Amino acid sequence: MIAFPRLKMSKFRFSAKNNEGSTFMLRSESEDKKLIQTMLCESRTRLQSILDNEPECVKLVSIDGILLEMNQAGLAMVEAKCLEEVMGKFVIDLIHPEDRAAFQEFHQLVSEGKTGKLQFRILGLGGGLRWMETHSLPWRNFYGDIVGVLSITRNLTESKQIEQALMESEERYRQLVELCPNGIFIECEGKFVFVNRAAANIFGAANEAALIGKPILDFVHPDYREIVLELLRQIREEKKEAPLLEEKLLQLNGTVIDVEIAAIPFNYEGKPAAQVVIRDISERQAALRDRKRAEEQLRYYAFYDPLTGLPNRALFLEQLEKLIDVQQKDTGVEAKYSIANFPSPSPQFAVLFLDLNRFQIVKYSLGHQLADELIIATAKRLQTCLRSTDFVALVGLDEFAIILSPLSEKQEAIDIANCIYQTLQLPFKLDGREVYVTASIGIALSAIGYDRPEDFLQAADTAMHTCKRIKQAPYAVFEPEWHVGALKLLELETDLRQAIQRRDLQVYYQPIVSLKSGRISGFEALVRWEHPTRGFVPPSEFIPLAEETGLIGEIDRFVLREACRQMGFWQRAFLAEVPLTLSVNLSGFQLSQLALVEQIDQVLGETGIQRSTLKLEITESKLSGNMVSEKTMLDRLKKLGIQLAIDDFGTGYSSLARLHQLPIDTLKIDRSFVTNLGVDSESLEIVRTIITLAHSLEMDAIAEGVETPQQLAQLQALQCEYGQGYFFSKPIASETAWALLNRFHLP
């Protein structure tokens, strides 16, 4: 509280007369003290009320820096709830550490009798930082001695923040101007008063200072001086913005350059001025050429495949749309032609959709670089079968679309499709390797009369997938009713995914019989699917779909695990000199997976099956042709202690040299040759050759598709070791196989 000096009073009573002669008596000393205290209290209350309502901070500090008094505004500034929180503390503790020295010096000067003001920062009790400006004067007692410092302090935080923001804004503006690639300068009274680095470069100056104070017109080409003078007049007097215009300027060395300029009115130190943005466009023509090349390059990337240089899907559809428009103008928009009516009076066309069947295997086994080379080589081969008027595009990873136009008849499209198929049958030589691929081709004729290019492409795609599933011809011509089939196929894919997730697939077992003893030597595990509403779905229907969609990998892993679990049980139940073997199909997709060996090793460990009795069957046509990669993978599989077999032997591309180098134990003769035994001599010789080849390479031979006693007798005469087919048993459930083993177990 503010201290007031005490008044010393006499302790005697005395009397006096007033002007009228009346006598009055003074009060006693105690009464006088009480009256004075009352007056002081009222005065202090009024003073405290005034101080508490003062919006600025008022404080009283002792000479040694101890806070004695502070009003409510001051308490709020230092984040104190009441005076007791700060009274008696050193004021210096509330000052920001960086400002304490200046505050101490200022406090000392005021304590010595001077007055002044100071700006500093305080730290509130709650950690808040505020800027303050204080006006201070010495506080004297009744005797005139300086006993403290009285200060009135104003909160400058908001103004400081505004000032800081303004400084930061100006700094950002300065940096933007300095870093701006365009030249910026300010003209005032016909002279340069500010120039950024870019403007100095444009004018050919060594630095910005070289231009300051120089007349603007010294750098304006004579042909443009009148224009510039009028422009500056309008900016200064009419406050008009100058539109973007081109003119010629002179550099310091006299070189003439073309520039673009734009200017706005500007106030420079209270004087009318112009702020000008300038850009050198001397190389405009070169820039325009660069821009044109850039636009062409963007169009190229938008409509062409950078790998092959072929048009992409977008350009293909654009080209096809133009062709449809031409045909509709010639024939009438409402005209529709059936395939049977083809050809028609107007020029016709066909859309081909081509897919490489074994591309994924090649990519995973040989790597992306050789896969890219395969796509490039395929694109080149396609061109050899096409005419100059035809249009080919790469519309997917390994998918090509072709427009054949014009066509006079349907057979033309078929002949070109056959040419493409036969051309792609030839081996590709990639990095010293021979790689084989096949193609499935879908054909959509313009006679189906669709209006949208997307519909034609979808129709050809549908035909291609039909060809892929049927596998009886290199091509398929689209029929409109196939769209229904495509939708059903999509539904089937969805159901198959759900069946895999719910483990609705089942493993059936077909016996493999020793043709010498007539006993069961093992089983081949085959996947079967009993659909809840469709019933039995043939493997020939859903296995190609699984291969297309990549689901075959999950199916293979399921069959391997389930079959090994079952075979482990049978092997333990039928202990014999020769244990049961288990054959499991391995897709080409699985063969290319890096983690295959680890996955199989884990299954063998979990199920306890004898490793030597597991035989993995790899379809001959699924081998990619990458000898090094495949041999490495097969060698790793052999190290697990398992056997390897080539399935459907005689239908693929295996050569004797490759077969000799691969760690194969068994050749399985394709059922197509076994079926024709006794029908044609060619099949008999093929079967004889395969068996002889297997024996010469110390391999076993298994004949698939044995259905008649005559076939069995011929195979026995050819000394084929094993047979498999409906003559012995169709694929059966595990329960039926168990009963069969109980009746015909191994000797």
Side-chain angles (χ1 to χ4, degrees):
M1 306 297 287
I2 297 177
F4 295 93
R6 294 191 174 188
L7 299 177
K8 296 183 178 181
M9 303 296 295
S10 171
K11 48 184 181 176
F12 299 104
R13 299 169 62 91
F14 60 90
S15 61
K17 291 185 179 181
N18 59 15
N19 294 335
E20 298 177 353
S22 302
T23 302
F24 63 93
M25 298 295 295
L26 289 179
R27 289 171 293 275
S28 66
E29 181 180 1
S30 60
E31 291 176 337
D32 291 338
K33 285 183 179 181
K34 187 174 182 181
L35 177 60
I36 291 172
Q37 289 175 353
T38 301
M39 294 172 64
L40 286 174
C41 184
E42 291 175 354
S43 175
R44 180 176 180 80
T45 301
R46 287 194 299 270
L47 178 59
Q48 193 66 46
S49 176
I50 293 173
L51 292 177
D52 287 341
N53 287 290
E54 168 62 39
E56 308 293 355
C57 168
V58 180
K59 66 179 182 294
L60 180 61
V61 180
S62 68
I63 291 178
D64 52 4
I66 296 175
L67 183 64
L68 301 176
E69 188 71 41
M70 180 178 283
N71 66 348
Q72 289 298 319
L75 294 176
M77 288 182 185
V78 299
E79 302 175 3
K81 296 179 181 179
C82 60
L83 184 60
E84 286 70 16
E85 288 189 61
V86 293
M87 182 180 290
K89 294 185 177 180
F90 286 98
V91 175
I92 198 70
D93 293 337
L94 298 173
I95 307 301
H96 191 281
E98 295 178 2
D99 298 337
R100 288 176 181 174
F103 185 85
Q104 279 281 56
E105 183 179 352
F106 175 74
H107 182 78
Q108 182 63 34
L109 291 174
V110 177
S111 299
E112 294 174 357
K114 298 181 181 180
T115 61
K117 63 180 180 179
L118 176 70
Q119 291 185 4
F120 58 91
R121 291 164 292 178
I122 64 169
L123 291 171
L125 298 181
L129 178 66
R130 293 175 177 83
W131 271 99
M132 298 294 177
E133 182 179 70
T134 185
H135 294 257
S136 301
L137 70 159
W139 177 259
R140 301 176 185 274
N141 62 12
F142 183 78
Y143 303 104
D145 299 327
I146 298 176
V147 295
V149 175
L150 178 64
S151 301
I152 299 178
T153 305
R154 182 164 58 97
N155 192 339
L156 293 181
T157 303
E158 185 175 351
S159 61
K160 281 289 185 179
Q161 290 174 344
I162 295 173
E163 180 182 343
Q164 181 65 25
L166 181 59
M167 291 174 59
E168 292 175 356
S169 176
E170 291 177 348
E171 178 62 19
R172 285 194 298 270
Y173 174 76
R174 186 193 65 78
Q175 291 178 356
L176 287 173
V177 170
E178 290 298 331
L179 295 175
C180 181
N182 292 328
I184 299 175
F185 66 87
I186 297 174
E187 173 277 336
C188 183
E189 297 180 341
K191 297 180 180 180
F192 291 104
V193 294
F194 171 81
V195 180
N196 73 345
R197 178 70 260 176
N201 292 336
I202 291 174
F203 286 104
N207 51 56
E208 299 90 329
L211 294 176
I212 300 301
K214 292 187 178 297
I216 294 291
L217 292 181
D218 288 353
F219 297 89
V220 179
H221 192 278
D223 295 343
Y224 290 85
R225 287 183 180 174
E226 294 298 326
I227 297 174
V228 171
L229 285 172
E230 176 60 21
L231 180 67
L232 292 175
R233 187 196 66 78
Q234 292 179 0
I235 293 174
R236 295 190 195 116
E237 299 177 7
E238 302 178 17
K239 306 300 182 184
K240 286 185 177 181
E241 294 185 5
L244 185 67
L245 57 87
E246 298 180 10
E247 65 174 66
K248 292 183 181 296
L249 293 180
L250 301 174
Q251 292 183 320
L252 279 174
N253 61 4
T255 302
V256 178
I257 60 172
D258 293 312
V259 297
E260 277 183 347
I261 64 171
I264 60 173
F266 190 79
N267 186 292
Y268 180 77
E269 297 181 354
K271 299 176 183 179
Q275 180 171 283
V276 183
V277 178
I278 182 171
R279 182 173 57 159
D280 188 349
I281 57 170
S282 300
E283 299 180 359
R284 174 182 287 276
Q285 296 304 319
L288 289 176
R289 288 193 298 270
D290 291 343
R291 185 182 305 171
K292 185 176 181 180
R293 284 195 295 269
E295 290 174 353
E296 291 174 352
Q297 191 174 36
L298 287 174
R299 176 174 173 79
Y300 179 82
Y301 287 132
F303 292 106
Y304 290 88
D305 170 58
L307 178 64
T308 61
L310 292 177
N312 61 13
R313 183 187 186 93
L315 186 56
F316 179 85
L317 293 175
E318 181 180 295
Q319 185 73 13
L320 183 55
E321 185 174 24
K322 293 178 181 178
L323 197 59
I324 294 171
D325 290 342
V326 171
Q327 186 188 51
Q328 289 179 344
K329 288 178 181 178
D330 291 341
T331 62
V333 176
E334 298 300 325
K336 303 290 180 184
Y337 298 94
S338 67
I339 295 175
N341 293 332
F342 188 77
S344 67
S346 63
Q348 299 296 299
F349 64 87
V351 175
L352 272 59
F353 196 98
L354 180 149
D355 177 76
L356 299 181
N357 292 325
R358 304 174 66 250
F359 177 75
Q360 294 293 344
I361 297 176
V362 173
K363 184 177 72 172
Y364 288 130
S365 58
L366 298 182
H368 288 268
Q369 183 175 351
L370 289 185
D372 288 345
E373 292 182 14
L374 175 60
I375 293 296
I376 295 172
T378 301
K380 292 179 179 179
R381 286 197 187 180
L382 290 178
Q383 299 285 2
T384 63
C385 295
L386 302 179
R387 305 161 300 176
S388 60
T389 57
D390 298 330
F391 189 88
V392 59
L394 183 65
V395 296
L397 181 65
D398 59 338
E399 297 171 334
F400 296 84
I402 303 169
I403 300 174
L404 302 179
S405 175
L407 292 179
S408 59
E409 59 179 353
K410 171 182 175 181
Q411 189 60 40
E412 283 188 80
I414 294 175
D415 290 342
I416 293 176
N418 273 318
C419 175
I420 292 172
Y421 181 82
Q422 296 300 330
T423 301
L424 296 182
Q425 287 281 91
L426 300 175
F428 290 87
K429 292 186 178 179
L430 305 176
D431 194 25
R433 299 181 176 89
E434 284 192 352
V435 177
Y436 293 86
V437 295
T438 59
S440 298
I441 306 172
I443 304 173
L445 300 171
S446 59
I448 59 180
Y450 288 154
D451 297 328
R452 301 192 313 157
E454 294 85 354
D455 294 337
F456 273 102
L457 191 61
Q458 182 182 357
D461 190 5
T462 301
M464 182 274 294
H465 280 88
T466 302
C467 171
K468 191 182 288 286
R469 291 195 303 274
I470 296 175
K471 296 183 179 178
Q472 293 179 350
Y475 65 86
V477 180
F478 175 78
E479 298 289 347
E481 59 268 20
W482 285 1
H483 270 313
V484 177
L487 291 175
K488 289 183 178 179
L489 190 63
L490 182 61
E491 293 176 359
L492 185 65
E493 178 188 343
T494 302
D495 292 345
L496 180 58
R497 291 182 183 276
Q498 294 176 351
I500 294 173
Q501 293 173 358
R502 294 195 295 254
R503 297 187 176 274
D504 288 343
L505 300 178
Q506 298 177 333
V507 179
Y508 274 46
Y509 302 88
Q510 187 172 32
I512 298 175
V513 178
S514 170
L515 300 187
K516 183 177 181 180
S517 66
R519 299 282 184 175
I520 296 174
S521 64
F523 291 91
E524 179 180 359
L526 301 166
V527 65
R528 292 295 182 263
W529 181 17
E530 189 73 23
H531 193 278
T533 57
R534 302 179 188 218
F536 178 75
V537 181
S540 59
E541 185 174 344
F542 73 85
I543 291 297
L545 177 63
E547 290 176 341
E548 276 188 59
T549 57
L551 296 173
I552 191 65
E554 295 184 56
I555 294 176
D556 282 353
R557 288 191 291 272
F558 163 74
V559 172
L560 177 66
R561 186 177 298 276
E562 177 61 23
C564 285
R565 185 194 61 79
Q566 184 64 61
M567 182 55 68
F569 170 75
W570 287 340
Q571 287 178 348
R572 290 187 292 272
F574 291 95
L575 296 174
E577 186 176 342
V578 181
L580 288 170
T581 61
L582 173 66
S583 297
V584 179
N585 289 291
L586 186 68
S587 67
F589 175 81
Q590 281 289 91
L591 188 61
S592 64
Q593 299 301 300
L594 297 177
L596 174 65
V597 176
E598 290 74 13
Q599 292 172 358
I600 294 176
D601 187 45
Q602 182 180 359
V603 171
L604 292 173
E606 292 175 353
T607 58
I609 183 176
Q610 298 180 35
R611 292 173 178 257
S612 61
T613 60
L614 174 63
K615 183 180 294 185
L616 296 179
E617 296 186 2
I618 305 162
T619 304
E620 184 185 17
S621 61
K622 300 300 182 182
L623 294 173
S624 68
N626 180 6
M627 186 68 184
V628 175
S629 174
E630 288 172 349
K631 186 176 185 306
T632 300
M633 178 59 75
L634 295 178
D635 285 340
R636 291 183 63 196
L637 291 172
K638 283 293 292 182
K639 288 181 180 179
L640 293 180
I642 64 179
Q643 300 184 58
L644 299 173
I646 293 184
D647 196 10
D648 299 338
F649 188 79
T651 62
Y653 308 99
S654 295
S655 66
L656 292 178
R658 293 182 62 211
L659 188 62
H660 176 72
Q661 297 176 35
L662 297 177
I664 302 300
D665 301 288
T666 303
L667 297 182
K668 296 193 73 173
I669 306 170
D670 187 69
R671 67 180 64 250
S672 62
F673 303 126
V674 177
T675 300
N676 291 323
L677 281 177
V679 177
D680 61 71
S681 58
E682 182 179 348
S683 294
L684 176 62
E685 290 305 317
I686 291 175
V687 172
R688 187 196 310 276
T689 301
I690 294 175
I691 294 174
T692 303
L693 175 63
H695 292 167
S696 65
L697 296 176
E698 298 182 352
M699 301 177 186
D700 295 331
I702 300 177
E704 294 183 291
V706 181
E707 297 181 353
T708 66
Q710 293 79 12
Q711 295 169 353
L712 173 61
Q714 287 180 304
L715 291 169
Q716 288 174 329
L718 294 172
Q719 297 183 351
C720 182
E721 283 83 4
Y722 301 99
Q724 179 182 352
Y726 277 30
F727 179 78
F728 305 109
S729 172
K730 64 180 181 180
I732 53 180
S734 58
E735 297 82 3
T736 307
W738 170 257
L740 192 64
L741 284 171
N742 276 291
R743 285 188 294 151
F744 303 103
H745 58 80
L746 294 170

PDB file of all heavy atoms in Angstrom, residues 48-66:
ATOM      1  N   GLN A  48      -7.098   4.394  -4.037  1.00  0.00           N
ATOM      2  CA  GLN A  48      -7.001   3.011  -4.516  1.00  0.00           C
ATOM      3  C   GLN A  48      -8.038   2.732  -5.584  1.00  0.00           C
ATOM      4  O   GLN A  48      -7.791   2.030  -6.567  1.00  0.00           O
ATOM      5  CB  GLN A  48      -7.176   2.033  -3.335  1.00  0.00           C
ATOM      6  CG  GLN A  48      -6.785   0.597  -3.675  1.00  0.00           C
ATOM      7  CD  GLN A  48      -5.301   0.484  -3.950  1.00  0.00           C
ATOM      8  OE1 GLN A  48      -4.479   1.014  -3.212  1.00  0.00           O
ATOM      9  NE2 GLN A  48      -4.959  -0.195  -5.046  1.00  0.00           N
ATOM     10  N   SER A  49      -9.236   3.310  -5.408  1.00  0.00           N
ATOM     11  CA  SER A  49     -10.297   3.138  -6.409  1.00  0.00           C
ATOM     12  C   SER A  49      -9.878   3.740  -7.732  1.00  0.00           C
ATOM     13  O   SER A  49     -10.111   3.173  -8.803  1.00  0.00           O
ATOM     14  CB  SER A  49     -11.590   3.775  -5.900  1.00  0.00           C
ATOM     15  OG  SER A  49     -12.597   3.700  -6.880  1.00  0.00           O
ATOM     16  N   ILE A  50      -9.268   4.945  -7.637  1.00  0.00           N
ATOM     17  CA  ILE A  50      -8.797   5.606  -8.870  1.00  0.00           C
ATOM     18  C   ILE A  50      -7.740   4.750  -9.548  1.00  0.00           C
ATOM     19  O   ILE A  50      -7.754   4.534 -10.765  1.00  0.00           O
ATOM     20  CB  ILE A  50      -8.256   7.009  -8.543  1.00  0.00           C
ATOM     21  CG1 ILE A  50      -9.411   7.920  -8.072  1.00  0.00           C
ATOM     22  CG2 ILE A  50      -7.570   7.613  -9.765  1.00  0.00           C
ATOM     23  CD1 ILE A  50      -8.947   9.269  -7.563  1.00  0.00           C
ATOM     24  N   LEU A  51      -6.794   4.238  -8.739  1.00  0.00           N
ATOM     25  CA  LEU A  51      -5.709   3.443  -9.311  1.00  0.00           C
ATOM     26  C   LEU A  51      -6.215   2.141  -9.927  1.00  0.00           C
ATOM     27  O   LEU A  51      -5.767   1.719 -10.995  1.00  0.00           O
ATOM     28  CB  LEU A  51      -4.667   3.137  -8.231  1.00  0.00           C
ATOM     29  CG  LEU A  51      -3.866   4.339  -7.713  1.00  0.00           C
ATOM     30  CD1 LEU A  51      -2.930   3.906  -6.600  1.00  0.00           C
ATOM     31  CD2 LEU A  51      -3.096   5.011  -8.839  1.00  0.00           C
ATOM     32  N   ASP A  52      -7.149   1.477  -9.248  1.00  0.00           N
ATOM     33  CA  ASP A  52      -7.651   0.199  -9.749  1.00  0.00           C
ATOM     34  C   ASP A  52      -8.438   0.371 -11.028  1.00  0.00           C
ATOM     35  O   ASP A  52      -8.569  -0.566 -11.828  1.00  0.00           O
ATOM     36  CB  ASP A  52      -8.499  -0.495  -8.686  1.00  0.00           C
ATOM     37  CG  ASP A  52      -7.641  -1.060  -7.569  1.00  0.00           C
ATOM     38  OD1 ASP A  52      -6.419  -1.232  -7.804  1.00  0.00           O
ATOM     39  OD2 ASP A  52      -8.177  -1.339  -6.483  1.00  0.00           O
ATOM     40  N   ASN A  53      -9.014   1.553 -11.235  1.00  0.00           N
ATOM     41  CA  ASN A  53      -9.767   1.800 -12.471  1.00  0.00           C
ATOM     42  C   ASN A  53      -8.886   2.382 -13.572  1.00  0.00           C
ATOM     43  O   ASN A  53      -9.358   2.617 -14.684  1.00  0.00           O
ATOM     44  CB  ASN A  53     -10.938   2.743 -12.210  1.00  0.00           C
ATOM     45  CG  ASN A  53     -12.059   2.053 -11.446  1.00  0.00           C
ATOM     46  OD1 ASN A  53     -12.738   1.200 -11.986  1.00  0.00           O
ATOM     47  ND2 ASN A  53     -12.229   2.395 -10.172  1.00  0.00           N
ATOM     48  N   GLU A  54      -7.638   2.598 -13.259  1.00  0.00           N
ATOM     49  CA  GLU A  54      -6.706   3.092 -14.259  1.00  0.00           C
ATOM     50  C   GLU A  54      -6.340   1.938 -15.211  1.00  0.00           C
ATOM     51  O   GLU A  54      -5.916   0.865 -14.772  1.00  0.00           O
ATOM     52  CB  GLU A  54      -5.446   3.621 -13.568  1.00  0.00           C
ATOM     53  CG  GLU A  54      -4.271   3.913 -14.501  1.00  0.00           C
ATOM     54  CD  GLU A  54      -4.612   4.985 -15.515  1.00  0.00           C
ATOM     55  OE1 GLU A  54      -5.301   5.966 -15.152  1.00  0.00           O
ATOM     56  OE2 GLU A  54      -4.198   4.820 -16.677  1.00  0.00           O
ATOM     57  N   PRO A  55      -6.521   2.122 -16.529  1.00  0.00           N
ATOM     58  CA  PRO A  55      -6.246   1.017 -17.466  1.00  0.00           C
ATOM     59  C   PRO A  55      -4.767   0.695 -17.594  1.00  0.00           C
ATOM     60  O   PRO A  55      -4.420  -0.387 -18.057  1.00  0.00           O
ATOM     61  CB  PRO A  55      -6.822   1.531 -18.790  1.00  0.00           C
ATOM     62  CG  PRO A  55      -6.783   3.021 -18.671  1.00  0.00           C
ATOM     63  CD  PRO A  55      -7.045   3.320 -17.229  1.00  0.00           C
ATOM     64  N   GLU A  56      -3.904   1.635 -17.209  1.00  0.00           N
ATOM     65  CA  GLU A  56      -2.476   1.369 -17.295  1.00  0.00           C
ATOM     66  C   GLU A  56      -1.964   0.861 -15.953  1.00  0.00           C
ATOM     67  O   GLU A  56      -2.572   1.079 -14.907  1.00  0.00           O
ATOM     68  CB  GLU A  56      -1.720   2.654 -17.678  1.00  0.00           C
ATOM     69  CG  GLU A  56      -2.239   3.360 -18.905  1.00  0.00           C
ATOM     70  CD  GLU A  56      -2.029   2.557 -20.182  1.00  0.00           C
ATOM     71  OE1 GLU A  56      -1.394   1.495 -20.109  1.00  0.00           O
ATOM     72  OE2 GLU A  56      -2.514   2.978 -21.242  1.00  0.00           O
ATOM     73  N   CYS A  57      -0.828   0.190 -16.021  1.00  0.00           N
ATOM     74  CA  CYS A  57      -0.219  -0.361 -14.812  1.00  0.00           C
ATOM     75  C   CYS A  57       0.425   0.777 -13.996  1.00  0.00           C
ATOM     76  O   CYS A  57       1.208   1.566 -14.523  1.00  0.00           O
ATOM     77  CB  CYS A  57       0.828  -1.407 -15.194  1.00  0.00           C
ATOM     78  SG  CYS A  57       1.875  -1.914 -13.818  1.00  0.00           S
ATOM     79  N   VAL A  58       0.079   0.863 -12.706  1.00  0.00           N
ATOM     80  CA  VAL A  58       0.694   1.812 -11.788  1.00  0.00           C
ATOM     81  C   VAL A  58       1.348   1.007 -10.667  1.00  0.00           C
ATOM     82  O   VAL A  58       0.683   0.176 -10.035  1.00  0.00           O
ATOM     83  CB  VAL A  58      -0.328   2.798 -11.208  1.00  0.00           C
ATOM     84  CG1 VAL A  58       0.362   3.768 -10.253  1.00  0.00           C
ATOM     85  CG2 VAL A  58      -1.028   3.565 -12.327  1.00  0.00           C
ATOM     86  N   LYS A  59       2.617   1.233 -10.451  1.00  0.00           N
ATOM     87  CA  LYS A  59       3.306   0.464  -9.416  1.00  0.00           C
ATOM     88  C   LYS A  59       4.283   1.359  -8.685  1.00  0.00           C
ATOM     89  O   LYS A  59       4.766   2.369  -9.223  1.00  0.00           O
ATOM     90  CB  LYS A  59       4.038  -0.730 -10.025  1.00  0.00           C
ATOM     91  CG  LYS A  59       5.191  -0.395 -10.939  1.00  0.00           C
ATOM     92  CD  LYS A  59       5.851  -1.670 -11.457  1.00  0.00           C
ATOM     93  CE  LYS A  59       7.050  -1.362 -12.333  1.00  0.00           C
ATOM     94  NZ  LYS A  59       6.702  -0.686 -13.575  1.00  0.00           N
ATOM     95  N   LEU A  60       4.568   0.966  -7.455  1.00  0.00           N
ATOM     96  CA  LEU A  60       5.526   1.670  -6.611  1.00  0.00           C
ATOM     97  C   LEU A  60       6.594   0.666  -6.207  1.00  0.00           C
ATOM     98  O   LEU A  60       6.288  -0.413  -5.680  1.00  0.00           O
ATOM     99  CB  LEU A  60       4.848   2.252  -5.366  1.00  0.00           C
ATOM    100  CG  LEU A  60       5.763   3.007  -4.403  1.00  0.00           C
ATOM    101  CD1 LEU A  60       6.402   4.219  -5.076  1.00  0.00           C
ATOM    102  CD2 LEU A  60       4.951   3.453  -3.175  1.00  0.00           C
ATOM    103  N   VAL A  61       7.852   1.011  -6.493  1.00  0.00           N
ATOM    104  CA  VAL A  61       8.962   0.114  -6.229  1.00  0.00           C
ATOM    105  C   VAL A  61       9.951   0.830  -5.320  1.00  0.00           C
ATOM    106  O   VAL A  61      10.236   2.022  -5.508  1.00  0.00           O
ATOM    107  CB  VAL A  61       9.657  -0.298  -7.543  1.00  0.00           C
ATOM    108  CG1 VAL A  61      10.824  -1.252  -7.263  1.00  0.00           C
ATOM    109  CG2 VAL A  61       8.661  -0.933  -8.492  1.00  0.00           C
ATOM    110  N   SER A  62      10.455   0.117  -4.352  1.00  0.00           N
ATOM    111  CA  SER A  62      11.448   0.713  -3.449  1.00  0.00           C
ATOM    112  C   SER A  62      12.754   0.934  -4.198  1.00  0.00           C
ATOM    113  O   SER A  62      12.955   0.418  -5.306  1.00  0.00           O
ATOM    114  CB  SER A  62      11.680  -0.206  -2.247  1.00  0.00           C
ATOM    115  OG  SER A  62      12.325  -1.392  -2.665  1.00  0.00           O
ATOM    116  N   ILE A  63      13.634   1.709  -3.581  1.00  0.00           N
ATOM    117  CA  ILE A  63      14.915   2.007  -4.227  1.00  0.00           C
ATOM    118  C   ILE A  63      15.700   0.733  -4.499  1.00  0.00           C
ATOM    119  O   ILE A  63      16.376   0.609  -5.527  1.00  0.00           O
ATOM    120  CB  ILE A  63      15.736   2.987  -3.354  1.00  0.00           C
ATOM    121  CG1 ILE A  63      15.052   4.360  -3.351  1.00  0.00           C
ATOM    122  CG2 ILE A  63      17.169   3.113  -3.865  1.00  0.00           C
ATOM    123  CD1 ILE A  63      15.752   5.383  -2.486  1.00  0.00           C
ATOM    124  N   ASP A  64      15.593  -0.238  -3.577  1.00  0.00           N
ATOM    125  CA  ASP A  64      16.337  -1.483  -3.791  1.00  0.00           C
ATOM    126  C   ASP A  64      15.591  -2.458  -4.693  1.00  0.00           C
ATOM    127  O   ASP A  64      15.960  -3.627  -4.808  1.00  0.00           O
ATOM    128  CB  ASP A  64      16.685  -2.153  -2.462  1.00  0.00           C
ATOM    129  CG  ASP A  64      15.452  -2.325  -1.585  1.00  0.00           C
ATOM    130  OD1 ASP A  64      14.348  -1.985  -2.051  1.00  0.00           O
ATOM    131  OD2 ASP A  64      15.607  -2.809  -0.455  1.00  0.00           O
ATOM    132  N   GLY A  65      14.489  -2.004  -5.335  1.00  0.00           N
ATOM    133  CA  GLY A  65      13.838  -2.805  -6.372  1.00  0.00           C
ATOM    134  C   GLY A  65      12.754  -3.725  -5.889  1.00  0.00           C
ATOM    135  O   GLY A  65      12.320  -4.614  -6.639  1.00  0.00           O
ATOM    136  N   ILE A  66      12.241  -3.534  -4.669  1.00  0.00           N
ATOM    137  CA  ILE A  66      11.181  -4.402  -4.154  1.00  0.00           C
ATOM    138  C   ILE A  66       9.834  -3.771  -4.476  1.00  0.00           C
ATOM    139  O   ILE A  66       9.634  -2.574  -4.275  1.00  0.00           O
ATOM    140  CB  ILE A  66      11.333  -4.622  -2.642  1.00  0.00           C
ATOM    141  CG1 ILE A  66      12.647  -5.365  -2.355  1.00  0.00           C
ATOM    142  CG2 ILE A  66      10.146  -5.378  -2.082  1.00  0.00           C
ATOM    143  CD1 ILE A  66      12.945  -5.536  -0.884  1.00  0.00           C
TER     144      ILE A  66
END
